[in-house]
Amino acid sequence: MVSAIEDPNPEVAGQGHARLRTSGIAVDVGLCAEEAAHDHAGHFLRVREKRPFVILKLAVSADDKIAATDRKPVAITGEAAKARAHLLRSHSDAILVGIGTVLADDPLLTCRLPGLEAQSPVRVVLDRALRIPGTSKLVHSARTHPLWVMTSDMSDAPAAMKLGAAGTQIIRVATAKSPPPGLDLKAALSALSERGITRLMVEGGAKVASSFIACGYVDEVWLLRGPDAIGADGVAALDGQPLSVITQSPRWSVRATESLDKDTLTIYRRA
Ligand SMILES: NC(=O)c1ccc[n+]([C@@H]2O[C@H](COP(=O)([O-])OP(=O)(O)OC[C@H]3O[C@@H](n4cnc5c(N)ncnc54)[C@H](OP(=O)(O)O)[C@@H]3O)[C@@H](O)[C@H]2O)c1
């Protein structure tokens, strides 16, 4: 075992790491510390803050909308960007949406990249009053792909039993005592972390994205931007908040950008 005690005055060997000499051998410590911390952030957060690492992914139009009028889904990005989002799903322990997205889009939320289907994350829905339809794709597939519905302490017990019988796991959490309204995100994240989730992908919609940002629980934002505008009556990406709270804020810095055909992926990290 190499001991660092022999040299109490380590020299600086490069940015972010130091060189120690022990038994005549130079040992660099702290190499790639930032990358390692990022790779293990979910584990550290789970232990220290009882919550997973949270990545908010949003596909936005050129004018910062995520859906058309009346919350109708619309193709915003192309195939390459969609494939990137599915790859992110496969790297996540769980994927979370609000009940608004389930009612508007009836999504499946699995990873459908060839060969990676088995890497689909646990699907999680925030649904205070158990409005999720028994006919939805999520409930229909609950026996093959885990579905966790987070609901309030007060929601209907028979509805919960029906969903349970269809293979859904019901997780009861408190409702928020202060705005933004909805389930208490701290309690929801803690319940997910207790169940082993270290990396959570939040896929919207607008209200859920806005709540996560407002409560400060987003560690990274993946913004997939398409080239076309939707128009003023489209659904704003962060509900009541402008997207500039991320894109123009000193609280966020750009970690990476990538072109995906006509679309752009920008990854923001909390500064
Ligand atoms: N382009 C994209 O990347 C993308 C991705 C996903 C969705 N979308 C679009 O987004 C639209 C849906 O967005 P949305 O804003 O209507 O619905 P949403 O954000 O999916 O769901 C909002 C609902 O979730 C429930 N909820 C429970 N706890 C919450 C909390 N702490 N914070 C916020 N919500 C909480 C609330 O209903 P209860 O009070 O009943 O629980 C709330 O009304 C659709 O048009 C969909 O197509 C776009």
Side-chain angles (χ1 to χ4, degrees), residues 57-61 65-68 70-74 76 97-102 104-105 126-131 150 176 180-185 203-212 215 235-236 239:
K57 172 253 140 188
L58 287 173
V60 298
S61 60
K65 309 287 192 232
I66 60 164
D70 299 332
R71 294 188 136 61
K72 285 194 189 105
V74 63
I76 292 174
V97 295
I99 183 63
T101 296
V102 178
D105 300 359
L126 297 186
D127 182 9
R128 248 187 316 188
L130 290 181
R131 291 189 283 149
M150 307 196 96
L183 294 170
D184 183 311
L185 292 186
E203 198 162 292
K207 287 183 187 140
V208 162
S210 176
S211 290
F212 269 84
C215 294
V235 177
D239 198 35

mmCIF file of all heavy atoms in Angstrom, residues 57-61 65-68 70-74 76 97-102 104-105 126-131 150 176 180-185 203-212 215 235-236 239, ligand 1:
data_model
loop_
_atom_site.group_PDB
_atom_site.id
_atom_site.type_symbol
_atom_site.label_atom_id
_atom_site.label_comp_id
_atom_site.label_asym_id
_atom_site.label_seq_id
_atom_site.Cartn_x
_atom_site.Cartn_y
_atom_site.Cartn_z
ATOM 1 N N LYS A 57 -34.508 16.323 -18.878
ATOM 2 C CA LYS A 57 -34.379 16.328 -20.345
ATOM 3 C C LYS A 57 -35.624 16.972 -20.947
ATOM 4 O O LYS A 57 -36.751 16.610 -20.595
ATOM 5 C CB LYS A 57 -34.213 14.889 -20.848
ATOM 6 C CG LYS A 57 -34.265 14.732 -22.353
ATOM 7 C CD LYS A 57 -35.566 14.080 -22.784
ATOM 8 C CE LYS A 57 -36.143 14.683 -24.018
ATOM 9 N NZ LYS A 57 -37.498 14.190 -24.334
ATOM 10 N N LEU A 58 -35.388 17.955 -21.810
ATOM 11 C CA LEU A 58 -36.523 18.587 -22.483
ATOM 12 C C LEU A 58 -36.207 18.731 -23.966
ATOM 13 O O LEU A 58 -35.096 19.147 -24.329
ATOM 14 C CB LEU A 58 -36.785 19.985 -21.908
ATOM 15 C CG LEU A 58 -37.408 20.067 -20.504
ATOM 16 C CD1 LEU A 58 -37.424 21.515 -20.031
ATOM 17 C CD2 LEU A 58 -38.823 19.481 -20.489
ATOM 18 N N ALA A 59 -37.183 18.398 -24.816
ATOM 19 C CA ALA A 59 -37.053 18.670 -26.252
ATOM 20 C C ALA A 59 -37.816 19.962 -26.507
ATOM 21 O O ALA A 59 -39.035 20.005 -26.296
ATOM 22 C CB ALA A 59 -37.643 17.518 -27.056
ATOM 23 N N VAL A 60 -37.109 21.017 -26.892
ATOM 24 C CA VAL A 60 -37.767 22.321 -27.063
ATOM 25 C C VAL A 60 -37.673 22.797 -28.504
ATOM 26 O O VAL A 60 -36.713 22.510 -29.214
ATOM 27 C CB VAL A 60 -37.171 23.415 -26.123
ATOM 28 C CG1 VAL A 60 -37.351 23.058 -24.670
ATOM 29 C CG2 VAL A 60 -35.720 23.684 -26.439
ATOM 30 N N SER A 61 -38.700 23.560 -28.901
ATOM 31 C CA SER A 61 -38.715 24.150 -30.241
ATOM 32 C C SER A 61 -37.812 25.380 -30.246
ATOM 33 O O SER A 61 -37.301 25.801 -29.200
ATOM 34 C CB SER A 61 -40.150 24.543 -30.591
ATOM 35 O OG SER A 61 -40.599 25.490 -29.641
ATOM 36 N N LYS A 65 -40.828 26.041 -26.746
ATOM 37 C CA LYS A 65 -42.072 25.316 -26.413
ATOM 38 C C LYS A 65 -41.791 23.811 -26.429
ATOM 39 O O LYS A 65 -40.899 23.338 -27.146
ATOM 40 C CB LYS A 65 -43.178 25.616 -27.431
ATOM 41 C CG LYS A 65 -43.414 27.094 -27.676
ATOM 42 C CD LYS A 65 -44.103 27.757 -26.517
ATOM 43 C CE LYS A 65 -44.592 29.130 -26.902
ATOM 44 N NZ LYS A 65 -44.164 30.193 -25.995
ATOM 45 N N ILE A 66 -42.611 23.069 -25.634
ATOM 46 C CA ILE A 66 -42.420 21.612 -25.619
ATOM 47 C C ILE A 66 -43.614 20.847 -26.189
ATOM 48 O O ILE A 66 -43.577 19.630 -26.289
ATOM 49 C CB ILE A 66 -42.106 21.079 -24.196
ATOM 50 C CG1 ILE A 66 -43.242 21.396 -23.217
ATOM 51 C CG2 ILE A 66 -40.784 21.598 -23.695
ATOM 52 C CD1 ILE A 66 -43.160 20.569 -21.944
ATOM 53 N N ALA A 67 -44.682 21.561 -26.514
ATOM 54 C CA ALA A 67 -45.849 20.908 -27.120
ATOM 55 C C ALA A 67 -46.697 21.983 -27.795
ATOM 56 O O ALA A 67 -46.499 23.187 -27.558
ATOM 57 C CB ALA A 67 -46.670 20.165 -26.067
ATOM 58 N N ALA A 68 -47.646 21.523 -28.626
ATOM 59 C CA ALA A 68 -48.484 22.470 -29.356
ATOM 60 C C ALA A 68 -49.668 22.909 -28.497
ATOM 61 O O ALA A 68 -49.795 22.520 -27.341
ATOM 62 C CB ALA A 68 -48.961 21.810 -30.643
ATOM 63 N N ASP A 70 -53.197 23.244 -26.727
ATOM 64 C CA ASP A 70 -53.998 22.210 -26.050
ATOM 65 C C ASP A 70 -53.158 21.011 -25.614
ATOM 66 O O ASP A 70 -53.660 19.890 -25.528
ATOM 67 C CB ASP A 70 -55.157 21.709 -26.940
ATOM 68 C CG ASP A 70 -56.111 22.832 -27.296
ATOM 69 O OD1 ASP A 70 -56.206 23.776 -26.494
ATOM 70 O OD2 ASP A 70 -56.734 22.765 -28.361
ATOM 71 N N ARG A 71 -51.871 21.237 -25.419
ATOM 72 C CA ARG A 71 -50.951 20.207 -24.922
ATOM 73 C C ARG A 71 -50.846 19.007 -25.857
ATOM 74 O O ARG A 71 -50.520 17.899 -25.440
ATOM 75 C CB ARG A 71 -51.331 19.775 -23.497
ATOM 76 C CG ARG A 71 -51.130 20.945 -22.515
ATOM 77 C CD ARG A 71 -51.287 20.623 -21.098
ATOM 78 N NE ARG A 71 -50.257 21.218 -20.233
ATOM 79 C CZ ARG A 71 -50.025 22.509 -20.080
ATOM 80 N NH1 ARG A 71 -50.708 23.380 -20.759
ATOM 81 N NH2 ARG A 71 -49.078 22.924 -19.257
ATOM 82 N N LYS A 72 -51.147 19.234 -27.129
ATOM 83 C CA LYS A 72 -51.032 18.138 -28.098
ATOM 84 C C LYS A 72 -49.549 17.872 -28.370
ATOM 85 O O LYS A 72 -48.774 18.799 -28.595
ATOM 86 C CB LYS A 72 -51.727 18.522 -29.408
ATOM 87 C CG LYS A 72 -53.225 18.467 -29.301
ATOM 88 C CD LYS A 72 -53.865 18.504 -30.681
ATOM 89 C CE LYS A 72 -55.354 18.660 -30.577
ATOM 90 N NZ LYS A 72 -55.827 20.008 -30.908
ATOM 91 N N PRO A 73 -49.140 16.584 -28.357
ATOM 92 C CA PRO A 73 -47.731 16.302 -28.657
ATOM 93 C C PRO A 73 -47.404 16.649 -30.111
ATOM 94 O O PRO A 73 -48.273 16.568 -30.972
ATOM 95 C CB PRO A 73 -47.614 14.794 -28.415
ATOM 96 C CG PRO A 73 -48.994 14.261 -28.442
ATOM 97 C CD PRO A 73 -49.927 15.379 -28.109
ATOM 98 N N VAL A 74 -46.172 17.046 -30.347
ATOM 99 C CA VAL A 74 -45.756 17.415 -31.695
ATOM 100 C C VAL A 74 -44.293 16.997 -31.855
ATOM 101 O O VAL A 74 -43.548 16.994 -30.871
ATOM 102 C CB VAL A 74 -45.964 18.944 -31.901
ATOM 103 C CG1 VAL A 74 -45.112 19.770 -30.963
ATOM 104 C CG2 VAL A 74 -45.724 19.361 -33.327
ATOM 105 N N ILE A 76 -40.758 17.545 -32.298
ATOM 106 C CA ILE A 76 -39.915 18.735 -32.149
ATOM 107 C C ILE A 76 -38.513 18.462 -32.678
ATOM 108 O O ILE A 76 -37.896 19.300 -33.316
ATOM 109 C CB ILE A 76 -39.869 19.146 -30.658
ATOM 110 C CG1 ILE A 76 -41.254 19.657 -30.235
ATOM 111 C CG2 ILE A 76 -38.810 20.214 -30.405
ATOM 112 C CD1 ILE A 76 -41.393 19.957 -28.759
ATOM 113 N N VAL A 97 -42.259 11.265 -15.081
ATOM 114 C CA VAL A 97 -43.095 12.289 -15.735
ATOM 115 C C VAL A 97 -44.263 12.629 -14.816
ATOM 116 O O VAL A 97 -44.576 11.890 -13.887
ATOM 117 C CB VAL A 97 -43.658 11.834 -17.105
ATOM 118 C CG1 VAL A 97 -42.569 11.617 -18.137
ATOM 119 C CG2 VAL A 97 -44.543 10.601 -16.967
ATOM 120 N N GLY A 98 -44.950 13.721 -15.148
ATOM 121 C CA GLY A 98 -46.170 14.094 -14.442
ATOM 122 C C GLY A 98 -47.370 13.448 -15.112
ATOM 123 O O GLY A 98 -47.309 13.035 -16.279
ATOM 124 N N ILE A 99 -48.471 13.411 -14.372
ATOM 125 C CA ILE A 99 -49.689 12.797 -14.897
ATOM 126 C C ILE A 99 -50.197 13.573 -16.138
ATOM 127 O O ILE A 99 -50.824 12.987 -17.031
ATOM 128 C CB ILE A 99 -50.788 12.687 -13.803
ATOM 129 C CG1 ILE A 99 -52.048 11.985 -14.329
ATOM 130 C CG2 ILE A 99 -51.133 14.019 -13.193
ATOM 131 C CD1 ILE A 99 -51.850 10.565 -14.748
ATOM 132 N N GLY A 100 -49.882 14.867 -16.222
ATOM 133 C CA GLY A 100 -50.290 15.663 -17.392
ATOM 134 C C GLY A 100 -49.718 15.073 -18.675
ATOM 135 O O GLY A 100 -50.403 14.993 -19.708
ATOM 136 N N THR A 101 -48.474 14.625 -18.622
ATOM 137 C CA THR A 101 -47.828 14.028 -19.796
ATOM 138 C C THR A 101 -48.466 12.686 -20.134
ATOM 139 O O THR A 101 -48.658 12.353 -21.309
ATOM 140 C CB THR A 101 -46.311 13.867 -19.533
ATOM 141 O OG1 THR A 101 -45.764 15.174 -19.380
ATOM 142 C CG2 THR A 101 -45.607 13.143 -20.656
ATOM 143 N N VAL A 102 -48.810 11.917 -19.107
ATOM 144 C CA VAL A 102 -49.440 10.608 -19.356
ATOM 145 C C VAL A 102 -50.786 10.826 -20.054
ATOM 146 O O VAL A 102 -51.104 10.156 -21.046
ATOM 147 C CB VAL A 102 -49.641 9.830 -18.036
ATOM 148 C CG1 VAL A 102 -50.322 8.503 -18.288
ATOM 149 C CG2 VAL A 102 -48.299 9.617 -17.346
ATOM 150 N N ALA A 104 -51.755 13.444 -21.794
ATOM 151 C CA ALA A 104 -51.628 14.079 -23.112
ATOM 152 C C ALA A 104 -51.002 13.150 -24.150
ATOM 153 O O ALA A 104 -51.433 13.111 -25.298
ATOM 154 C CB ALA A 104 -50.777 15.353 -22.993
ATOM 155 N N ASP A 105 -49.997 12.371 -23.745
ATOM 156 C CA ASP A 105 -49.188 11.634 -24.740
ATOM 157 C C ASP A 105 -49.365 10.124 -24.697
ATOM 158 O O ASP A 105 -48.937 9.440 -25.630
ATOM 159 C CB ASP A 105 -47.686 11.907 -24.511
ATOM 160 C CG ASP A 105 -47.325 13.374 -24.633
ATOM 161 O OD1 ASP A 105 -48.227 14.175 -24.921
ATOM 162 O OD2 ASP A 105 -46.144 13.703 -24.433
ATOM 163 N N LEU A 126 -45.823 11.078 -11.294
ATOM 164 C CA LEU A 126 -46.335 11.881 -10.170
ATOM 165 C C LEU A 126 -47.818 12.116 -10.420
ATOM 166 O O LEU A 126 -48.187 12.732 -11.420
ATOM 167 C CB LEU A 126 -45.607 13.230 -10.091
ATOM 168 C CG LEU A 126 -44.112 13.220 -9.814
ATOM 169 C CD1 LEU A 126 -43.596 14.648 -9.630
ATOM 170 C CD2 LEU A 126 -43.769 12.387 -8.589
ATOM 171 N N ASP A 127 -48.657 11.607 -9.524
ATOM 172 C CA ASP A 127 -50.100 11.586 -9.797
ATOM 173 C C ASP A 127 -50.851 11.657 -8.461
ATOM 174 O O ASP A 127 -51.230 10.630 -7.901
ATOM 175 C CB ASP A 127 -50.415 10.278 -10.552
ATOM 176 C CG ASP A 127 -51.872 10.139 -10.933
ATOM 177 O OD1 ASP A 127 -52.629 11.110 -10.768
ATOM 178 O OD2 ASP A 127 -52.233 9.049 -11.415
ATOM 179 N N ARG A 128 -51.089 12.893 -7.989
ATOM 180 C CA ARG A 128 -51.678 13.088 -6.654
ATOM 181 C C ARG A 128 -52.989 12.331 -6.457
ATOM 182 O O ARG A 128 -53.236 11.756 -5.416
ATOM 183 C CB ARG A 128 -51.956 14.580 -6.456
ATOM 184 C CG ARG A 128 -51.085 15.190 -5.425
ATOM 185 C CD ARG A 128 -51.461 16.599 -5.114
ATOM 186 N NE ARG A 128 -51.745 17.441 -6.274
ATOM 187 C CZ ARG A 128 -51.948 18.742 -6.173
ATOM 188 N NH1 ARG A 128 -51.916 19.319 -5.001
ATOM 189 N NH2 ARG A 128 -52.189 19.470 -7.242
ATOM 190 N N ALA A 129 -53.855 12.385 -7.473
ATOM 191 C CA ALA A 129 -55.222 11.865 -7.284
ATOM 192 C C ALA A 129 -55.464 10.566 -8.050
ATOM 193 O O ALA A 129 -56.614 10.196 -8.276
ATOM 194 C CB ALA A 129 -56.223 12.932 -7.715
ATOM 195 N N LEU A 130 -54.425 9.880 -8.452
ATOM 196 C CA LEU A 130 -54.527 8.611 -9.201
ATOM 197 C C LEU A 130 -55.448 8.739 -10.424
ATOM 198 O O LEU A 130 -56.398 7.979 -10.590
ATOM 199 C CB LEU A 130 -54.974 7.472 -8.290
ATOM 200 C CG LEU A 130 -53.940 7.012 -7.258
ATOM 201 C CD1 LEU A 130 -54.463 5.864 -6.415
ATOM 202 C CD2 LEU A 130 -52.616 6.620 -7.927
ATOM 203 N N ARG A 131 -55.092 9.703 -11.281
ATOM 204 C CA ARG A 131 -55.877 9.904 -12.507
ATOM 205 C C ARG A 131 -55.362 9.017 -13.642
ATOM 206 O O ARG A 131 -55.901 9.014 -14.729
ATOM 207 C CB ARG A 131 -55.799 11.376 -12.931
ATOM 208 C CG ARG A 131 -56.534 12.320 -11.987
ATOM 209 C CD ARG A 131 -56.621 13.713 -12.569
ATOM 210 N NE ARG A 131 -55.382 14.469 -12.481
ATOM 211 C CZ ARG A 131 -54.996 15.398 -13.358
ATOM 212 N NH1 ARG A 131 -55.740 15.644 -14.418
ATOM 213 N NH2 ARG A 131 -53.872 16.049 -13.183
ATOM 214 N N MET A 150 -46.482 7.591 -7.905
ATOM 215 C CA MET A 150 -46.359 8.304 -6.628
ATOM 216 C C MET A 150 -47.609 9.138 -6.445
ATOM 217 O O MET A 150 -47.985 9.926 -7.327
ATOM 218 C CB MET A 150 -45.105 9.184 -6.619
ATOM 219 C CG MET A 150 -43.868 8.381 -6.985
ATOM 220 S SD MET A 150 -42.327 9.199 -6.574
ATOM 221 C CE MET A 150 -41.967 8.454 -5.009
ATOM 222 N N ALA A 176 -46.950 18.858 -1.127
ATOM 223 C CA ALA A 176 -46.097 20.007 -0.775
ATOM 224 C C ALA A 176 -46.869 20.979 0.108
ATOM 225 O O ALA A 176 -48.039 21.262 -0.153
ATOM 226 C CB ALA A 176 -45.626 20.689 -2.052
ATOM 227 N N PRO A 180 -44.091 25.220 -5.286
ATOM 228 C CA PRO A 180 -45.124 24.885 -6.255
ATOM 229 C C PRO A 180 -46.021 23.736 -5.773
ATOM 230 O O PRO A 180 -45.552 22.864 -5.025
ATOM 231 C CB PRO A 180 -44.306 24.440 -7.488
ATOM 232 C CG PRO A 180 -42.978 24.038 -6.966
ATOM 233 C CD PRO A 180 -42.743 24.836 -5.739
ATOM 234 N N PRO A 181 -47.301 23.748 -6.202
ATOM 235 C CA PRO A 181 -48.234 22.732 -5.736
ATOM 236 C C PRO A 181 -47.906 21.360 -6.295
ATOM 237 O O PRO A 181 -47.265 21.249 -7.332
ATOM 238 C CB PRO A 181 -49.584 23.220 -6.272
ATOM 239 C CG PRO A 181 -49.264 24.089 -7.426
ATOM 240 C CD PRO A 181 -47.907 24.664 -7.178
ATOM 241 N N GLY A 182 -48.347 20.336 -5.601
ATOM 242 C CA GLY A 182 -48.121 18.970 -6.081
ATOM 243 C C GLY A 182 -47.567 18.116 -4.973
ATOM 244 O O GLY A 182 -47.618 18.496 -3.789
ATOM 245 N N LEU A 183 -47.032 16.961 -5.341
ATOM 246 C CA LEU A 183 -46.414 16.103 -4.342
ATOM 247 C C LEU A 183 -45.115 16.751 -3.867
ATOM 248 O O LEU A 183 -44.446 17.457 -4.634
ATOM 249 C CB LEU A 183 -46.141 14.728 -4.947
ATOM 250 C CG LEU A 183 -47.404 13.947 -5.321
ATOM 251 C CD1 LEU A 183 -47.050 12.703 -6.128
ATOM 252 C CD2 LEU A 183 -48.196 13.556 -4.077
ATOM 253 N N ASP A 184 -44.764 16.495 -2.633
ATOM 254 C CA ASP A 184 -43.532 17.045 -2.064
ATOM 255 C C ASP A 184 -42.333 16.366 -2.743
ATOM 256 O O ASP A 184 -42.133 15.154 -2.579
ATOM 257 C CB ASP A 184 -43.551 16.770 -0.556
ATOM 258 C CG ASP A 184 -42.350 17.362 0.138
ATOM 259 O OD1 ASP A 184 -41.212 17.160 -0.325
ATOM 260 O OD2 ASP A 184 -42.552 18.025 1.155
ATOM 261 N N LEU A 185 -41.579 17.147 -3.497
ATOM 262 C CA LEU A 185 -40.505 16.535 -4.300
ATOM 263 C C LEU A 185 -39.392 15.974 -3.414
ATOM 264 O O LEU A 185 -38.768 14.974 -3.764
ATOM 265 C CB LEU A 185 -39.946 17.540 -5.295
ATOM 266 C CG LEU A 185 -40.909 17.954 -6.419
ATOM 267 C CD1 LEU A 185 -40.193 18.844 -7.432
ATOM 268 C CD2 LEU A 185 -41.507 16.731 -7.117
ATOM 269 N N GLU A 203 -38.524 13.660 -17.383
ATOM 270 C CA GLU A 203 -38.814 13.936 -18.794
ATOM 271 C C GLU A 203 -40.017 14.864 -18.958
ATOM 272 O O GLU A 203 -40.672 14.875 -19.994
ATOM 273 C CB GLU A 203 -38.990 12.603 -19.550
ATOM 274 C CG GLU A 203 -38.855 12.813 -21.046
ATOM 275 C CD GLU A 203 -38.582 11.558 -21.848
ATOM 276 O OE1 GLU A 203 -37.498 10.983 -21.716
ATOM 277 O OE2 GLU A 203 -39.460 11.167 -22.613
ATOM 278 N N GLY A 204 -40.341 15.636 -17.971
ATOM 279 C CA GLY A 204 -41.416 16.608 -18.112
ATOM 280 C C GLY A 204 -42.710 16.109 -17.514
ATOM 281 O O GLY A 204 -42.701 15.192 -16.701
ATOM 282 N N GLY A 205 -43.802 16.751 -17.892
ATOM 283 C CA GLY A 205 -43.926 17.892 -18.796
ATOM 284 C C GLY A 205 -43.538 19.213 -18.144
ATOM 285 O O GLY A 205 -42.686 19.270 -17.251
ATOM 286 N N ALA A 206 -44.229 20.264 -18.592
ATOM 287 C CA ALA A 206 -43.852 21.616 -18.232
ATOM 288 C C ALA A 206 -43.954 21.872 -16.723
ATOM 289 O O ALA A 206 -43.047 22.461 -16.123
ATOM 290 C CB ALA A 206 -44.744 22.593 -19.000
ATOM 291 N N LYS A 207 -45.041 21.430 -16.114
ATOM 292 C CA LYS A 207 -45.240 21.727 -14.682
ATOM 293 C C LYS A 207 -44.230 20.975 -13.827
ATOM 294 O O LYS A 207 -43.684 21.521 -12.868
ATOM 295 C CB LYS A 207 -46.669 21.348 -14.253
ATOM 296 C CG LYS A 207 -47.711 22.301 -14.789
ATOM 297 C CD LYS A 207 -49.091 21.932 -14.281
ATOM 298 C CE LYS A 207 -50.136 22.803 -14.964
ATOM 299 N NZ LYS A 207 -51.347 22.075 -15.329
ATOM 300 N N VAL A 208 -44.001 19.733 -14.175
ATOM 301 C CA VAL A 208 -43.041 18.940 -13.405
ATOM 302 C C VAL A 208 -41.628 19.511 -13.572
ATOM 303 O O VAL A 208 -40.893 19.670 -12.591
ATOM 304 C CB VAL A 208 -43.122 17.451 -13.828
ATOM 305 C CG1 VAL A 208 -41.876 16.692 -13.401
ATOM 306 C CG2 VAL A 208 -44.360 16.812 -13.216
ATOM 307 N N ALA A 209 -41.271 19.861 -14.801
ATOM 308 C CA ALA A 209 -39.945 20.448 -15.042
ATOM 309 C C ALA A 209 -39.789 21.731 -14.233
ATOM 310 O O ALA A 209 -38.766 21.961 -13.581
ATOM 311 C CB ALA A 209 -39.772 20.727 -16.534
ATOM 312 N N SER A 210 -40.836 22.544 -14.265
ATOM 313 C CA SER A 210 -40.799 23.815 -13.546
ATOM 314 C C SER A 210 -40.638 23.599 -12.038
ATOM 315 O O SER A 210 -39.848 24.281 -11.375
ATOM 316 C CB SER A 210 -42.099 24.572 -13.836
ATOM 317 O OG SER A 210 -42.142 25.747 -13.111
ATOM 318 N N SER A 211 -41.383 22.613 -11.484
ATOM 319 C CA SER A 211 -41.280 22.332 -10.041
ATOM 320 C C SER A 211 -39.877 21.872 -9.663
ATOM 321 O O SER A 211 -39.331 22.301 -8.649
ATOM 322 C CB SER A 211 -42.249 21.216 -9.643
ATOM 323 O OG SER A 211 -43.559 21.640 -9.711
ATOM 324 N N PHE A 212 -39.316 20.966 -10.456
ATOM 325 C CA PHE A 212 -37.974 20.462 -10.132
ATOM 326 C C PHE A 212 -36.946 21.596 -10.164
ATOM 327 O O PHE A 212 -36.060 21.665 -9.312
ATOM 328 C CB PHE A 212 -37.562 19.338 -11.107
ATOM 329 C CG PHE A 212 -37.931 17.973 -10.614
ATOM 330 C CD1 PHE A 212 -39.201 17.460 -10.814
ATOM 331 C CD2 PHE A 212 -37.019 17.195 -9.915
ATOM 332 C CE1 PHE A 212 -39.559 16.195 -10.344
ATOM 333 C CE2 PHE A 212 -37.359 15.930 -9.440
ATOM 334 C CZ PHE A 212 -38.632 15.429 -9.659
ATOM 335 N N CYS A 215 -37.495 23.981 -7.132
ATOM 336 C CA CYS A 215 -37.068 23.415 -5.846
ATOM 337 C C CYS A 215 -35.563 23.156 -5.790
ATOM 338 O O CYS A 215 -35.053 22.728 -4.747
ATOM 339 C CB CYS A 215 -37.817 22.110 -5.572
ATOM 340 S SG CYS A 215 -39.572 22.342 -5.331
ATOM 341 N N VAL A 235 -47.004 25.066 -25.587
ATOM 342 C CA VAL A 235 -46.768 24.911 -24.143
ATOM 343 C C VAL A 235 -45.334 25.348 -23.818
ATOM 344 O O VAL A 235 -44.372 24.782 -24.352
ATOM 345 C CB VAL A 235 -46.963 23.428 -23.722
ATOM 346 C CG1 VAL A 235 -46.663 23.234 -22.243
ATOM 347 C CG2 VAL A 235 -48.377 22.956 -24.059
ATOM 348 N N ALA A 236 -45.211 26.353 -22.952
ATOM 349 C CA ALA A 236 -43.879 26.859 -22.582
ATOM 350 C C ALA A 236 -43.120 25.773 -21.814
ATOM 351 O O ALA A 236 -43.692 25.079 -20.962
ATOM 352 C CB ALA A 236 -44.019 28.109 -21.723
ATOM 353 N N ASP A 239 -43.435 25.961 -18.021
ATOM 354 C CA ASP A 239 -44.715 26.473 -17.524
ATOM 355 C C ASP A 239 -44.610 27.985 -17.311
ATOM 356 O O ASP A 239 -44.393 28.705 -18.271
ATOM 357 C CB ASP A 239 -45.086 25.705 -16.238
ATOM 358 C CG ASP A 239 -46.550 25.834 -15.887
ATOM 359 O OD1 ASP A 239 -47.370 25.879 -16.824
ATOM 360 O OD2 ASP A 239 -46.887 25.894 -14.702
HETATM 361 N N1 LIG B 1 -41.031 18.080 -25.448
HETATM 362 C C1 LIG B 1 -40.789 17.397 -24.343
HETATM 363 O O1 LIG B 1 -39.626 17.135 -23.988
HETATM 364 C C2 LIG B 1 -41.933 16.943 -23.502
HETATM 365 C C3 LIG B 1 -41.727 15.952 -22.541
HETATM 366 C C4 LIG B 1 -42.810 15.565 -21.748
HETATM 367 C C5 LIG B 1 -44.051 16.165 -21.914
HETATM 368 N N2 LIG B 1 -44.210 17.120 -22.872
HETATM 369 C C6 LIG B 1 -45.509 17.785 -23.032
HETATM 370 O O2 LIG B 1 -45.837 18.412 -21.801
HETATM 371 C C7 LIG B 1 -47.266 18.529 -21.717
HETATM 372 C C8 LIG B 1 -47.683 18.070 -20.347
HETATM 373 O O3 LIG B 1 -47.162 18.964 -19.398
HETATM 374 P P1 LIG B 1 -48.042 19.443 -18.182
HETATM 375 O O4 LIG B 1 -47.363 20.599 -17.571
HETATM 376 O O5 LIG B 1 -49.450 19.592 -18.629
HETATM 377 O O6 LIG B 1 -48.068 18.153 -17.238
HETATM 378 P P2 LIG B 1 -46.934 17.408 -16.405
HETATM 379 O O7 LIG B 1 -45.877 18.341 -15.986
HETATM 380 O O8 LIG B 1 -46.559 16.182 -17.134
HETATM 381 O O9 LIG B 1 -47.795 16.921 -15.143
HETATM 382 C C9 LIG B 1 -48.253 17.898 -14.240
HETATM 383 C C10 LIG B 1 -49.110 17.245 -13.191
HETATM 384 O O10 LIG B 1 -48.308 16.363 -12.390
HETATM 385 C C11 LIG B 1 -48.863 16.316 -11.088
HETATM 386 N N3 LIG B 1 -47.857 16.616 -10.085
HETATM 387 C C12 LIG B 1 -47.743 15.956 -8.893
HETATM 388 N N4 LIG B 1 -46.781 16.470 -8.163
HETATM 389 C C13 LIG B 1 -46.247 17.495 -8.875
HETATM 390 C C14 LIG B 1 -45.226 18.424 -8.590
HETATM 391 N N5 LIG B 1 -44.521 18.411 -7.450
HETATM 392 N N6 LIG B 1 -44.947 19.370 -9.523
HETATM 393 C C15 LIG B 1 -45.633 19.412 -10.676
HETATM 394 N N7 LIG B 1 -46.627 18.552 -10.999
HETATM 395 C C16 LIG B 1 -46.930 17.591 -10.094
HETATM 396 C C17 LIG B 1 -49.973 17.363 -11.029
HETATM 397 O O11 LIG B 1 -51.216 16.710 -11.218
HETATM 398 P P3 LIG B 1 -51.979 16.139 -9.912
HETATM 399 O O12 LIG B 1 -52.165 17.328 -9.019
HETATM 400 O O13 LIG B 1 -53.221 15.559 -10.432
HETATM 401 O O14 LIG B 1 -51.053 15.143 -9.312
HETATM 402 C C18 LIG B 1 -49.687 18.232 -12.235
HETATM 403 O O15 LIG B 1 -50.816 18.861 -12.764
HETATM 404 C C19 LIG B 1 -47.838 17.650 -22.822
HETATM 405 O O16 LIG B 1 -48.310 18.508 -23.836
HETATM 406 C C20 LIG B 1 -46.653 16.835 -23.310
HETATM 407 O O17 LIG B 1 -46.755 16.552 -24.687
HETATM 408 C C21 LIG B 1 -43.190 17.500 -23.671
#
